[in-house]
């Protein structure tokens, strides 16, 4: 029994931070940011706007395309490392905002690879209960965990949400993206290269403590870069090999949107020409768990992914975590 995507959606908050804005905040330049990352702007939330608010908008779009209502859902899986609250889970807040109850709603945290981990969770649910309807959302508000005094990280991140609705029994639906396979991996030995510590049980705050730099994302960018390229390439090869397919069969490569240079390097190593490599990092920056589902939804909206196309997905993030997936639309 396989999983089928019936609809996708995406949402970014209205407020935009441009590279020029960062020139006023830290010692950086539009030229440095564009040359090193490809990022031109990113969207960030307004005060009070939460992860489940963004997830709600992306979810509604995915449900509309699937021709389903929130009531039809059986499961809500949210991949995030910046939930509204530590508890309840972001998925429970989303359930409430969708106006439903009694579903099975839970979060997973695999940082920027979250959507691929969620796909595997959805496949597991649908293997047990093929008629279930699973809402899978990747959402992050990294602006809430970004140190806007640290130029090495603050220019990179943006906020957003991407969603997909899946079932094991698609019937004769118009949209049908069959998830052919998912391959995941983690290596906790790399945890120091990319982390957010403050406020978690390893770095608890007491009432009255001042929030310091430990509250924010820390990344050894250069090291992460190397492992990200190497790992996404091998994960892509593994998922293709498993299906007896090659990179020539791929119509669109959709990777985690962290850095234009990383995305192009993965495409080049896989011998997939730029015309088959999706890129939207220039508009949104690195949106963590939202980046892959947002890119998938946008690629489909733009007609870059059409019926019959084979999509190769690759993600990489803190943990380290990584995942690849093959989806036939
Ligand atoms: O989403 C999870 C996965 N994350 C990733 O995949 C991100 C991976 N890493 C990257 O994308 C890149 O490593 C970065 C974009 C973070 C950095 O690019 P880089 O080409 O690796 O630059 P670097 O870290 O080697 O820094 C080069 C120089 C340094 O100065 P020195 O030491 O050479 O004098 C930095 O201090 O650039 C400096 N620098 C900046 N200069 C202007 C770092 N950030 C900035 C900045 N503006 N914002």
């Amino acid at each position: 029994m396989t999983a089928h995507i019936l609809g996708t959606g995406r949402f970014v908050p209205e407020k935009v931070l441009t590279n020029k804005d960062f020139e006023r905040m830290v010692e950086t330049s539009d030229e440095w940011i564009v040359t090193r990352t490809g990022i031109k702007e990113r969207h960030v939330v307004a005060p009070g706007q939460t992860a489940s608010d963004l997830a709600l908008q992306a979810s509604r779009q995915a449900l509309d395309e699937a021709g389903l209502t929130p009531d039809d859902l059986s499961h809500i899986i949210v991949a995030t490392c910046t939930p509204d609250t530590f508890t309840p889970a972001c998925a429970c807040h989303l359930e409430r905002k969708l106006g439903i109850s009694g579903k099975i709603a839970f979060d997973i945290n695999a940082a920027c690879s979250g959507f691929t981990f969620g796909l595997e969770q959805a496949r597991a649910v649908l293997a047990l209960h093929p008629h279930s309807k699973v809402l899978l959302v990747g959402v992050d508000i990294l602006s809430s965990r970004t140190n806007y005094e640290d130029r090495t990280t603050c220019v990179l991140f943006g906020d957003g949400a991407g969603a997909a609705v899946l079932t094991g029994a698609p019937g004769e639906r118009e949209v049908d993206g069959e998830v052919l396979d998912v391959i995941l991996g983690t290596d906790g030995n790399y945890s120091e290269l990319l982390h957010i510590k403050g406020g978690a049980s390893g770095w608890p705050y007491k009432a009255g403590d001042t929030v310091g730099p430990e509250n924010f994302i820390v990344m050894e960018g250069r090291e992460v870069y190397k492992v990200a390229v190497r790992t996404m390439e091998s994960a892509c090869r593994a998922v293709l090999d498993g299906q007896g397919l090659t990179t020539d069969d791929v119509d669109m490569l959709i990777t985690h949107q962290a850095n234009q240079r990383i995305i192009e390097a993965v495409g080049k190593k896989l011998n997939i020409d730029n015309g088959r490599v999706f890129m939207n990092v220039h508009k949104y920056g690195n949106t963590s768990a939202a980046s892959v589902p947002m890119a998938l939804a946008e690629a489909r909206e733009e007609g870059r992914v059409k019926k019959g196309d084979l999509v190769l997905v690759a993600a990489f993030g803190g943990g380290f975590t990584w995942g690849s997936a093959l989806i036939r639309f």
Side-chain angles (χ1 to χ4, degrees):
M1 181 53 66
T2 52
H4 298 254
I5 294 176
L6 304 180
T8 54
R10 66 191 174 98
F11 184 77
V12 287
E14 203 177 322
K15 185 176 174 191
V16 171
L17 281 179
T18 65
N19 291 349
K20 286 277 168 217
D21 293 327
F22 281 96
E23 286 181 355
R24 289 187 281 273
M25 292 156 69
V26 288
E27 202 182 321
T28 191
S29 66
D30 176 52
E31 199 259 331
W32 190 95
I33 302 171
V34 172
T35 314
R36 299 287 180 135
T37 72
I39 300 168
K40 293 182 175 151
E41 54 187 40
R42 63 296 277 152
H43 292 244
V44 293
V45 290
Q49 212 171 9
T50 65
S52 64
D53 291 332
L54 272 48
L56 178 65
Q57 303 301 331
S59 301
R60 283 191 175 138
Q61 200 182 333
L63 282 163
D64 276 355
E65 193 186 26
L68 298 173
T69 68
D71 270 330
D72 296 319
L73 294 172
S74 55
H75 296 73
I76 301 171
I77 304 174
V78 176
T80 186
C81 59
T82 51
D84 303 31
T85 50
F86 277 133
T87 188
C90 187
C92 295
H93 290 294
L94 178 59
E95 181 186 44
R96 173 171 48 81
K97 289 179 183 178
L98 282 165
I100 51 179
S101 60
K103 311 295 180 181
I104 301 167
F106 59 95
D107 289 0
I108 53 175
N109 177 353
C112 306
S113 310
F115 189 77
T116 54
F117 279 65
L119 270 184
E120 185 73 333
Q121 286 290 320
R123 274 162 34 106
V125 166
L126 294 168
L128 285 172
H129 312 288
H131 291 275
S132 293
K133 305 283 187 301
V134 181
L135 171 63
L136 170 60
V137 183
V139 58
D140 266 310
I141 298 190
L142 277 185
S143 65
S144 67
R145 288 293 196 146
T146 294
N147 182 351
Y148 286 99
E149 293 178 1
D150 174 8
R151 70 172 184 172
T152 68
T153 53
C154 71
V155 300
L156 304 173
F157 301 109
D159 303 335
V165 175
L166 297 106
T167 185
E172 294 301 310
R173 304 271 177 168
E174 200 173 316
V175 182
D176 182 358
E178 185 179 2
V179 183
L180 303 179
D181 201 7
V182 177
I183 286 187
L184 305 174
T186 59
D187 188 344
N189 292 298
Y190 286 105
S191 60
E192 281 304 306
L193 293 187
L194 178 48
H195 53 78
I196 303 171
K197 290 180 172 173
S201 59
W203 283 264
Y205 295 135
K206 295 186 296 300
D209 279 356
T210 309
V211 169
E214 76 291 338
N215 189 54
F216 302 106
I217 192 162
V218 170
M219 179 168 71
E220 296 289 336
R222 209 176 307 189
E223 290 310 307
V224 177
Y225 186 118
K226 285 185 234 161
V227 189
V229 173
R230 200 168 62 224
T231 308
M232 281 196 277
E233 182 203 355
S234 58
C236 284
R237 291 199 185 283
V239 78
L240 284 165
D241 284 353
Q243 296 296 305
L245 295 166
T246 72
T247 54
D248 289 344
D249 298 307
V250 174
D251 295 294
M252 190 57 67
L253 171 66
I254 296 183
T255 72
H256 170 46
Q257 306 282 308
N259 183 324
Q260 181 176 338
R261 286 156 57 216
I262 294 178
I263 300 165
E264 285 174 351
V266 174
K268 198 166 169 203
K269 280 182 177 290
L270 292 170
N271 219 8
I272 297 178
D273 52 274
N274 280 347
R276 291 185 290 148
V277 177
F278 190 77
M279 188 93 64
N280 65 8
V281 68
H282 56 289
K283 294 191 285 188
Y284 308 121
N286 180 345
T287 57
S288 188
S291 108
V292 165
M294 272 175 38
L296 180 61
E298 190 165 313
R300 294 189 56 245
E301 276 168 40
E302 290 178 354
R304 303 271 312 273
V305 170
K306 300 177 292 299
K307 210 163 183 58
D309 280 357
L310 182 69
V311 175
L312 173 59
V313 168
F316 184 85
F320 287 156
T321 58
W322 58 90
S324 60
L326 274 174
I327 308 168
R328 173 77 72 187
F329 276 91

